[in-house]
Amino acid sequence: MSFNINEFIDTKTLLYVALFSPLVSSLFAGIYGASPKKINVGVISSLLIFLSFLASVGLFLHLYFGGSVVNVMMMDWISAGDLKVPFGFVADHVSVTMMLVVTLVSTVVHFYSIGYMEKDKGFNRFFSYLSAFVFSMMFLVMSDNFLGLFIGWEGVGLCSWLLIGFWYEKESATWAANEAFIMNRIADLGMLIGIFMIYWTMGTLQYDEVFAKISSVPVDVVTMIAIFLFIGAMGKSAQFPLHTWLADAMEGPTPVSALIHAATMVTAGVYLVIRANEIFSLVPEVGFFIASLGAFVALFAATMALVNRDIKRVIAYSTLSQLGYMFVAGGLGAYWIALFHLVTHAFFKALLFLGAGNVMHAMEDELNIMKMGGLRKVMLGTAILMLIASVALSGIYPFAGFFSKDKILEVAFDTQHYILWGTLWLTAGLTAFYSFRVVMLVFFGSSRYKDFGIHPHEAHGFMLWAMTPLAVLAIVAGLFEHQFVEFVTKILPAYSFSEQIHETIGQLVIVTTSIAVTGIVIAVFSNMFREGLFSNAFRGNFFYKLLDNQYYIPKIYDEVFSKPYRELSELFWKSIDLKIVDATVDGIGKCLLSTGENTREMQSGNLSLMLRWMTIGLTILLLSAIGYTYADSILTLLQQGVAH
């Protein structure tokens, strides 16, 4: 069956609409950014993002029914010597998949934010930043070259700084925004070196040209390129040791958290590995390192989520853990599976964050899950939506998380990386436990919030309806696995499972599902009969403190990097800046001021004084003339005197 969308509308037009609608949305909201009146900015901005989603759907249908890849070169961008980089964009099977995820989640988040931010004085400014965030991510995934990707890469970094620090009056918000920005700048330097090496060795930055030439590049150079590109991915996707900013980014408004964790920013690192799979496939050693680090981060983040009492931070650690799963798949060469988990994860993770936003609003900005309980009685809609998302995250059949997460475990087992498989298997159980720990402590049990004088209420109806598409997709998205594989493997390499895995797949599914169900059962019963049993029982324990303090890594960073840097800066400020630089500049200023003060009498208009200055001036001129005239004679006499 062939479908030519050009019969209805030009595909290049669709590409432009998908890319630039978020930019128009941002500019429109920005015009009224300082206005205290909302003037329907939220509605119009949301509709423009929805228009981008519709255009992305049009491009998807064009490709799905046999259409060709859409390439657009808007204009020449950089032309210097042999370096020629156009403003070029591509809508292929990978980029269109990302476009659908980004625009769908962004549309939901925008409409949801109309209710969430309705009382905020920065309402219009928020939508300007949020739409700019979407535009930057679309620019990143749609670019047909590494430099364009880097521009979008930096754009999402800037917008994340603006949105995490949106409530800039709070010191904690500005600190978290700066931390995220600086941590990513460190990683981006590595990525930039990788891009420089690509151009240095291949003379181009266009994806198709780079991937066509990469096989002829020496292996050691390819290894270095892959390492430096992955350093950039580590920062954006918050992989250890550049992970601390992700949990602290919860200082921003909750819709921002949903967008960062589900469709933008942190998924960019995974997208880079998937997009550059031709490079990473040539260096399996680097791929194994990526997979090993991913497995470590998956378990590492899950353990921190076990004891945390901040509802948003628990979900943030969950994102960090699931990103680890994606990197395991990408590192082991199962790129389409990594993309599949990215897609399914986007739906239930965005749903979890938006549900947490409802809870936070209802609880008057309280985030401690130990102060909640029994909220299902007043927030039944939110409870159902978050329960769906938690089941999907836990990987229970037939929800979306089951299909994508189990595929990653199967890849680890199939490639005989049993330690990686065991790590991910254990993480699956921990994920189910902490997910339902949150559900039980927030929505079930006694209404502990009454002790704190809080009167919760359900979110606006339209906010719940906005979240509904995510809930539906969290349930059914995994059922479209075969169509997804058929679509994306036209660009990505297909991963072939061995005969052995086909024979044992039933047992693997049972083992994986069993650990997830066990985690859920333990969470439900431990919190049904004794709320917070595990938290209270182990609260003074060394391991509890270790997890609660994030393995003391933020403290180590503060002691090893932040404090010495602060002390060194203070030393330079006092010893060099004040005593040398400032003193020199101030000395020059004082000298000029003193000279002006002492010579101002020359302009007093006193005739006697001016005649005196004139006489002095004439004397100086005469002496200068005499000296110039007899300079040679004087010099000769001096030389003779020295000789004698």
Side-chain angles (χ1 to χ4, degrees):
M1 180 179 179
S2 180
F3 174 75
N4 186 7
I5 201 168
N6 285 310
E7 296 176 2
F8 306 97
I9 188 169
D10 182 44
T11 50
K12 292 185 178 180
T13 301
L14 285 177
L15 187 147
Y16 286 133
V17 171
L19 176 61
F20 290 111
S21 287
L23 178 61
V24 174
S25 173
S26 177
L27 294 174
F28 173 77
I31 292 172
Y32 301 101
S35 173
K37 297 181 180 179
K38 300 181 179 63
I39 9 182
N40 293 321
V41 162
V43 174
I44 295 174
S45 293
S46 301
L47 289 174
L48 284 167
I49 301 297
F50 181 61
L51 179 62
S52 179
F53 168 68
L54 293 178
S56 300
V57 170
L59 290 169
F60 166 75
L61 293 174
H62 166 73
L63 292 172
Y64 187 79
F65 290 107
S68 59
V69 172
V70 182
N71 286 282
V72 171
M73 193 193 82
M74 291 180 59
M75 56 184 166
D76 288 329
W77 178 18
I78 298 175
S79 183
D82 295 331
L83 177 61
K84 298 185 185 301
V85 182
F87 257 123
F89 301 96
V90 61
D92 61 16
H93 301 75
V94 173
S95 60
V96 163
T97 301
M98 289 296 297
M99 289 161 62
L100 283 173
V101 173
V102 172
T103 53
L104 174 60
V105 175
S106 299
T107 299
V108 171
V109 169
H110 270 71
F111 279 110
Y112 174 90
S113 298
I114 296 172
Y116 190 89
M117 300 295 292
E118 63 179 346
K119 296 180 181 178
D120 197 284
K121 62 181 180 180
F123 184 90
N124 295 344
R125 179 169 58 91
F126 176 81
F127 276 91
S128 180
Y129 294 168
L130 200 65
S131 297
F133 203 2
V134 180
F135 169 69
S136 298
M137 190 65 186
M138 293 291 281
F139 198 104
L140 187 158
V141 301
M142 295 175 69
S143 178
D144 67 354
N145 62 82
F146 281 100
L147 193 56
L149 178 143
F150 187 74
I151 297 300
W153 193 273
E154 295 304 299
V156 295
L158 171 62
C159 293
S160 68
W161 177 75
L162 292 169
L163 286 164
I164 294 169
F166 181 78
W167 289 315
Y168 54 84
E169 299 91 346
K170 293 169 56 181
E171 184 179 351
S172 57
T174 56
W175 189 92
N178 290 335
E179 180 191 18
F181 193 79
I182 294 168
M183 194 78 77
N184 277 275
R185 296 295 71 70
I186 295 169
D188 291 353
L189 175 61
M191 181 181 176
L192 199 56
I193 293 172
I195 292 174
F196 284 152
M197 291 185 68
I198 288 173
Y199 176 72
W200 185 264
T201 54
M202 285 168 274
T204 181
L205 294 174
Q206 296 295 117
Y207 290 150
D208 52 354
E209 296 176 6
V210 170
F211 299 149
K213 296 179 179 180
I214 192 67
S215 59
S216 61
V217 176
V219 175
D220 57 340
V221 177
V222 179
T223 301
M224 293 304 296
I225 290 172
I227 289 172
F228 281 117
L229 289 180
F230 182 64
I231 289 172
M234 286 171 63
K236 275 290 179 289
S237 295
Q239 295 297 283
F240 179 88
L242 304 175
H243 66 283
T244 55
W245 69 267
L246 191 64
D248 293 333
M250 297 302 97
E251 289 290 339
T254 304
V256 174
S257 303
L259 202 54
I260 288 177
H261 288 249
T264 62
M265 191 71 174
V266 298
T267 60
V270 180
Y271 171 76
L272 174 62
V273 173
I274 295 169
R275 172 57 75 184
N277 66 85
E278 285 89 345
I279 296 175
F280 289 98
S281 296
L282 294 175
V283 282
E285 298 83 4
V286 176
F288 179 70
F289 170 78
I290 293 172
S292 300
L293 181 63
F296 166 75
V297 170
L299 181 60
F300 172 73
T303 56
M304 291 189 288
L306 292 176
V307 301
N308 205 283
R309 297 185 170 207
D310 184 315
I311 185 172
K312 288 178 65 177
R313 282 180 175 263
V314 172
I315 303 173
Y317 288 131
S318 169
T319 299
L320 187 55
S321 182
Q322 296 306 305
L323 287 167
Y325 274 89
M326 298 174 207
F327 278 117
V328 170
L332 296 179
Y335 299 104
W336 77 260
I337 296 176
L339 184 59
F340 187 41
H341 193 50
L342 186 156
V343 172
T344 60
H345 171 263
F347 303 139
F348 54 75
K349 186 50 57 68
L351 186 59
L352 275 173
F353 267 113
L354 298 183
N358 290 350
V359 172
M360 183 179 171
H361 257 200
M363 292 292 295
E364 301 172 9
D365 293 336
E366 178 58 62
L367 292 169
N368 190 340
I369 57 178
M370 301 308 295
K371 295 181 180 179
M372 301 179 188
L375 286 178
R376 77 182 187 284
K377 300 170 186 175
V378 291
M379 303 182 68
L380 182 60
T382 298
I384 293 172
L385 292 171
M386 287 196 72
L387 181 61
I388 290 171
S390 298
V391 174
L393 174 61
S394 301
I396 302 300
Y397 181 86
F399 290 72
F402 166 82
F403 294 91
S404 57
K405 196 187 325 187
D406 265 39
K407 274 285 180 292
I408 297 172
L409 284 157
E410 290 166 18
V411 168
F413 195 88
D414 185 48
T415 54
Q416 299 180 3
H417 292 106
Y418 300 120
I419 294 177
L420 298 185
W421 179 86
T423 303
L424 297 181
W425 176 78
L426 177 60
T427 303
L430 298 180
T431 301
F433 173 80
Y434 67 67
S435 298
F436 274 82
R437 170 177 173 260
V438 170
V439 170
M440 294 303 297
L441 289 175
V442 172
F443 295 108
F444 296 88
S446 60
S447 303
R448 298 181 298 280
Y449 59 82
K450 293 180 180 179
D451 299 334
F452 303 95
I454 299 174
H455 303 283
H457 56 84
E458 182 60 281
H460 294 302
F462 76 88
M463 295 170 68
L464 297 178
W465 279 110
M467 296 164 63
T468 302
L470 297 175
V472 173
L473 288 167
I475 297 171
V476 306
L479 301 175
F480 297 94
E481 176 189 336
H482 296 298
Q483 292 86 340
F484 181 88
V485 176
E486 182 183 352
F487 182 72
V488 299
T489 51
K490 292 177 180 177
I491 294 290
L492 297 176
Y495 181 87
S496 300
F497 286 98
S498 65
E499 288 297 325
Q500 179 186 4
I501 198 70
H502 288 299
E503 296 172 0
T504 60
I505 192 168
Q507 294 93 316
L508 287 175
V509 170
I510 292 172
V511 170
T512 306
T513 303
S514 298
I515 191 70
V517 171
T518 301
I520 293 173
V521 169
I522 293 173
V524 169
F525 281 93
S526 64
N527 289 286
M528 181 180 294
F529 299 111
R530 290 188 62 185
E531 297 164 355
L533 170 64
F534 283 91
S535 297
N536 294 326
F538 299 104
R539 192 163 178 77
N541 186 281
F542 167 77
F543 291 105
Y544 182 96
K545 291 181 179 179
L546 185 68
L547 300 180
D548 194 38
N549 288 282
Q550 304 174 57
Y551 292 93
Y552 295 98
I553 291 175
K555 186 173 180 60
I556 292 171
Y557 285 177
D558 190 49
E559 294 292 334
V560 175
F561 299 109
S562 300
K563 285 186 178 179
Y565 181 79
R566 192 181 306 118
E567 291 170 0
L568 187 63
S569 299
E570 189 172 349
L571 176 65
F572 280 128
W573 170 55
K574 291 180 178 179
S575 302
I576 298 177
D577 202 32
L578 291 180
K579 293 182 179 180
I580 298 177
V581 178
D582 281 4
T584 302
V585 174
D586 291 345
I588 294 171
K590 288 177 181 178
C591 181
L592 293 173
L593 181 62
S594 177
T595 303
E597 288 288 340
N598 293 328
T599 59
R600 65 189 298 179
E601 293 181 357
M602 295 173 63
Q603 303 294 326
S604 66
N606 185 296
L607 182 60
S608 175
L609 186 62
M610 293 181 74
L611 286 171
R612 192 184 309 159
W613 279 110
M614 187 181 297
T615 303
I616 294 171
L618 285 170
T619 303
I620 293 171
L621 286 173
L622 285 171
L623 291 172
S624 299
I626 292 169
Y628 179 76
T629 303
Y630 297 103
D632 292 338
S633 301
I634 294 169
L635 183 61
T636 301
L637 289 171
L638 288 172
Q639 289 174 344
Q640 291 175 353
V642 171
H644 289 296

